[in-house]
Amino acid sequence: MQVKVRGIVLQTTPYRESSIIAAIFTDQLGLQSYLVNGVRKKGSKFPASIFHPLAVVEMVVYHSNKAGLKRIADIQVLQHLHGITTHPIKSSIAIFLHELLHKILKEEEPDLQLFDFLISSIGILEVQEPINSSFHLQFMVQLTRYLGFFPHGEIADNLFYFDLQEGVFKESVPLHPLYLEGSAAVILQLCARYPLSMPIPQLLNKSEKKNFLESLLLFFQMHRHHFGTINSLKVLDEIWN
């Protein structure tokens, strides 16, 4: 059966001499893996350039409910990402988000709200000038809304701590070391409140921002099994330094 879908490229893996296996998150079919033959051959019908990180595509695919690799009948770029592919900072953010999403999105079940959020986020990153240096932080926090562990509560006069285990703001120090406090807790709340098109106030220095990102990754690891580590974190460190 042929199905027309929109998709976001999350990962490509070389297969044999000239083919790839592309993990693509689609609007109607959730996460699917497609075998694409001959992408590295000259004159290929589906050139490798289509499958760059976070590429937004429209496809006609051969789909069945059987497990295993699927095939693509036709594919075209739906949203050209010239800014993301050519700007070094945007590109580094895209590589980080690309790896993050590949580790997070494992289900074949469709999630249209999540898909629309991702499409919107990619579009904002593509056109944003000047670049929001906290984009990836805001994205991560807002992504949790669709993953089921969005931070609960908010900071008030007597709420200065965020419990990473429970995912909630508290007025007293948790009985374990896994929490945010002070300006880091404030930044977390701002990341949840501010739209991606609006940069949050810079309340953290470079070292504190790095620690905050590491805390967010820990938050993901605690609430998503088999999350693992993010290798592209080093790329972000080099860019921002």
Side-chain angles (χ1 to χ4, degrees):
M1 176 178 68
Q2 289 191 358
V3 182
K4 189 174 184 178
V5 298
R6 293 177 295 153
I8 301 169
V9 177
L10 298 186
Q11 182 79 331
T12 58
T13 305
Y15 181 77
R16 295 182 177 174
E17 291 186 3
S18 61
S19 303
I20 61 170
I21 297 173
I24 301 179
F25 183 61
T26 72
D27 57 349
Q28 297 182 48
L29 305 173
L31 180 65
Q32 298 289 331
S33 293
Y34 296 100
L35 175 60
V36 191
N37 291 325
V39 296
R40 293 193 293 275
K41 289 183 177 180
K42 186 176 180 180
S44 171
K45 180 181 178 182
F46 305 144
S49 58
I50 292 178
F51 301 92
H52 63 76
L54 300 185
V56 180
V57 297
E58 185 174 73
M59 306 182 293
V60 177
V61 300
Y62 298 104
H63 184 73
S64 72
N65 292 325
K66 295 180 180 180
L69 297 173
K70 309 298 193 301
R71 296 274 186 169
I72 298 173
D74 192 27
I75 184 170
Q76 60 182 347
V77 176
L78 193 61
Q79 182 177 355
H80 290 278
L81 304 179
H82 179 76
I84 288 177
T85 56
T86 60
H87 195 293
I89 295 180
K90 289 185 179 182
S91 179
S92 68
I93 292 175
I95 290 171
F96 172 77
L97 300 185
H98 165 254
E99 185 180 2
L100 174 74
L101 292 173
H102 180 60
K103 290 181 178 293
I104 285 292
L105 302 179
K106 300 294 185 182
E107 303 298 328
E108 292 191 2
E109 293 299 319
D111 186 334
L112 190 55
Q113 287 187 326
L114 172 57
F115 184 86
D116 287 343
F117 166 72
L118 297 180
I119 290 290
S120 173
S121 301
I122 293 168
I124 292 171
L125 179 60
E126 166 64 16
V127 302
Q128 192 170 63
E129 293 292 346
I131 298 170
N132 175 8
S133 64
S134 298
F135 184 93
H136 55 303
L137 304 178
Q138 291 171 248
F139 175 88
M140 288 181 70
V141 175
Q142 294 179 30
L143 177 62
T144 65
R145 187 187 302 275
Y146 305 91
L147 302 178
F149 53 99
F150 188 71
H152 294 293
E154 59 181 37
I155 293 177
D157 291 340
N158 60 343
L159 289 174
F160 294 102
Y161 306 95
F162 180 75
D163 189 319
L164 292 169
Q165 284 188 345
E166 297 183 18
V168 65
F169 290 99
K170 292 184 173 181
E171 61 183 40
S172 58
V173 180
L175 300 177
H176 56 78
L178 303 176
Y179 64 88
L180 299 176
E181 63 179 324
S183 57
V186 173
I187 287 291
L188 179 65
Q189 181 170 258
L190 293 176
C191 284
R193 286 182 172 180
Y194 276 52
L196 287 173
S197 58
M198 183 182 300
I200 60 175
Q202 297 299 317
L203 302 180
L204 303 176
N205 60 35
K206 287 183 180 179
S207 176
E208 291 170 333
K209 185 179 288 187
K210 180 179 179 180
N211 291 336
F212 180 75
L213 174 56
E214 291 174 349
S215 295
L216 283 184
L217 290 172
L218 176 61
F219 187 43
F220 273 70
Q221 290 169 347
M222 294 169 65
H223 294 273
R224 298 291 285 196
H225 298 303
H226 311 299
F227 180 77
T229 58
I230 299 289
N231 297 321
S232 56
L233 197 58
K234 295 179 181 179
V235 178
L236 282 181
D237 287 342
E238 291 177 2
I239 289 293
W240 295 123
N241 288 331

